[in-house]
Amino acid sequence: MSGNDPRVLLVEASGRGFLSHYSHALALGLQRAGVETRLVSGRRDELGDWPVPFHKQACLDDGRRGWRCLRRHVVEMGPDIVHLQWVDNPLRALSFVRWAHRRGVRVVYTPHNILPHEKRWLLMPVYRLLYRQLDRVVARDAHLAWALEELLDTPGERVSLLSGSPNFLALQALEWQVDSPAPKKEEQEHRLLFFGHGCRRKGLDRLLETVAGNHWPGTMHLVVAGEGVLRDIPGALLDAASRAVHITLIDRYVAPREVAALFRDADLLLMPYIKQCKSPLLDLAAALRLPVLRSDRVQGADFREGVHGCTFSHDDHEALERRLKQTGWLSGVKGRLAAMDDPLAAIDQLARRHRQLYLKVREERLRGVDMDRVPTFSTPLSEI
């Protein structure tokens, strides 16, 4: 670790799911790249018992207490960069950014959603102001970069496109051969996985209707897993589908090591969503080398058709049925996934790009660049 490397405080307050896994992967990569890194996470840290080579503390609560805890870490560590992966309130975030700037600390933010799901139009003016105060906003794909500039007036020179979705679980899946919460996979079994929190608009009801209305080979096994995954699913529909194919139900919170085991043993992840969304499950599936069959309503930062999986129209039941029955396309996808960079290489690559960003932002601080006076002309996405 050289004296030239920046000191970075990573902040992720959910403590669960993709944001936590992504932040742990980034922190690991930065530490490997020689960057002094501290991760501050939410108290509900589901990776709390996993050993990591960087300093970490799970202290963030919701609301003001979380932001007060973050300020204490800034005073204690004295970082060059605070990199937020989470904002629960744009007004508090704006206050924190101004406070950090007064201390000579630069603030970077990776918005995994550029606006919240609730009250987004009401909060848009505050988010627009926040994005203009940040030293950099990291976009994980070109669509987010476009929206930041065109919809939220974020100056183009403050937007950095750093794609890549490495996942901490991918490393652990290689090292930990834990038992799956589903039955042990049998020889010749073709295992399908539907995974996630319960929501009717994720299309589980339509998937079960498709299953119940067709004949399937005896080797097919559908695993349905996640907290509240059966929400709004009629019992009669589940019974009908269970008569058509072997179904294993895991209707509870699934711990990270169990998630890795579920993905490890599956042959295909099913995402027949009706709602339009950017889902981190696509990133997790790619990191764990699991092909995906998704509807056209599911978007991801780096999903490539035929490489990560296949897509069908969300209102075309016959297309879903065909893809489930005609599985020849799966072998090609599995081969292309297997040829991808290993998880640690992907983590190292993303960390190197972040390190260069941090060095540039720190250099601007040392040169006394006032970001509020930088011209606000837009940089073409091709040049980001």
Side-chain angles (χ1 to χ4, degrees):
M1 194 174 295
S2 72
N4 186 50
D5 281 299
R7 290 166 297 171
V8 177
L9 179 61
L10 276 177
V11 185
E12 193 289 301
S14 72
R16 288 191 176 191
F18 172 78
L19 285 183
S20 176
H21 307 162
Y22 174 89
S23 299
H24 278 74
L26 179 56
L28 174 62
L30 290 171
Q31 190 78 11
R32 285 169 53 85
V35 177
E36 182 184 344
T37 305
R38 178 183 297 196
L39 174 62
V40 183
S41 66
R43 289 190 183 275
R44 300 172 300 169
D45 179 15
E46 66 179 10
L47 300 178
D49 61 338
W50 294 35
V52 293
F54 49 84
H55 182 83
K56 170 183 164 183
Q57 186 174 350
C59 71
L60 296 181
D61 294 297
D62 294 333
R64 287 191 180 91
R65 287 184 297 179
W67 291 101
R68 284 200 297 266
C69 175
L70 177 56
R71 292 189 187 209
R72 287 196 298 270
H73 276 275
V74 171
V75 172
E76 177 185 316
M77 180 186 181
D80 298 292
I81 308 290
V82 172
H83 190 165
L84 303 173
Q85 303 287 326
W86 143 94
V87 165
D88 67 345
N89 182 305
L91 284 171
R92 290 182 184 135
L94 186 60
S95 174
F96 171 80
V97 171
R98 290 170 171 168
W99 174 85
H101 283 171
R102 289 195 296 271
R103 300 184 66 89
V105 178
R106 295 302 195 186
V107 184
V108 176
Y109 177 35
T110 299
H112 298 273
N113 288 300
I114 61 173
L115 289 171
H117 295 298
E118 299 179 358
K119 302 179 181 178
R120 61 177 58 188
W121 304 119
L122 179 64
L123 293 173
M124 181 182 280
V126 188
Y127 273 97
R128 181 180 287 116
L129 181 59
L130 171 63
Y131 286 131
R132 294 179 68 84
Q133 292 291 312
L134 292 159
D135 298 283
R136 285 297 188 282
V137 184
V138 174
R140 292 183 51 243
D141 63 44
H143 300 291
L144 284 174
W146 177 89
L148 285 164
E149 289 194 51
E150 297 298 323
L151 302 181
L152 292 168
D153 298 328
T154 309
E157 64 276 358
R158 295 196 207 183
V159 177
S160 295
L161 179 58
L162 299 180
S163 60
S165 300
N167 194 294
F168 194 69
L169 293 191
L171 293 179
Q172 310 312 312
L174 298 176
E175 300 175 6
W176 296 81
Q177 293 301 313
V178 299
D179 291 334
S180 171
K184 184 177 180 180
K185 191 173 184 180
E186 298 179 358
E187 190 176 354
Q188 304 300 321
E189 177 184 330
H190 180 61
R191 182 169 293 192
L192 311 177
L193 175 63
F194 181 96
F195 176 79
H197 293 282
C199 173
R200 187 182 183 108
R201 291 182 60 76
K202 288 185 177 179
L204 178 58
D205 53 348
R206 295 193 177 187
L207 172 62
L208 294 176
E209 288 170 3
T210 299
V211 169
N214 289 274
H215 296 287
W216 305 95
T219 55
M220 181 169 158
H221 180 191
L222 174 61
V223 176
V224 178
E227 192 170 8
V229 71
L230 288 182
R231 186 173 299 152
D232 298 324
I233 300 297
L237 176 58
L238 180 61
D239 291 341
S242 298
R243 289 191 292 270
V245 73
H246 177 205
I247 295 180
T248 293
L249 175 64
I250 306 167
D251 188 7
R252 61 170 174 80
Y253 166 72
V254 183
R257 287 193 177 97
E258 294 180 308
V259 172
L262 283 175
F263 277 63
R264 176 197 66 205
D265 293 342
D267 296 293
L268 180 63
L269 177 67
L270 304 178
M271 303 184 69
Y273 289 18
I274 308 302
K275 68 172 184 175
Q276 187 164 340
C277 68
K278 281 186 174 291
S279 176
L281 283 184
L282 290 177
D283 302 313
L284 177 58
L288 295 176
R289 307 297 189 259
L290 177 61
V292 177
L293 178 58
R294 65 167 188 171
S295 80
D296 55 1
R297 306 290 284 179
V298 185
Q299 303 299 318
D302 193 35
F303 185 89
R304 286 173 284 168
E305 189 72 12
V307 174
H308 298 102
C310 288
T311 307
F312 67 94
S313 177
H314 68 281
D315 56 359
D316 190 343
H317 292 260
E318 293 182 355
L320 172 60
E321 179 186 335
R322 284 195 304 272
R323 287 295 186 181
L324 290 176
K325 287 186 172 181
Q326 301 169 6
T327 58
W329 59 274
L330 266 176
S331 59
V333 171
K334 288 181 178 179
R336 286 182 279 274
L337 285 171
M340 292 171 58
D341 289 340
D342 69 82
L344 193 55
I347 288 173
D348 287 342
Q349 181 183 39
L350 186 67
R352 284 193 296 269
R353 298 177 68 193
H354 275 80
R355 177 179 176 273
Q356 292 302 314
L357 172 66
Y358 299 149
L359 288 171
K360 186 174 182 180
V361 169
R362 187 181 65 174
E363 180 186 355
E364 290 169 352
R365 184 197 70 189
L366 295 176
R367 289 191 289 110
V369 175
D370 184 350
M371 291 300 291
D372 290 329
R373 296 184 181 180
V374 172
T376 58
F377 56 83
S378 178
T379 303
L381 289 181
S382 61
E383 298 179 16
I384 294 177

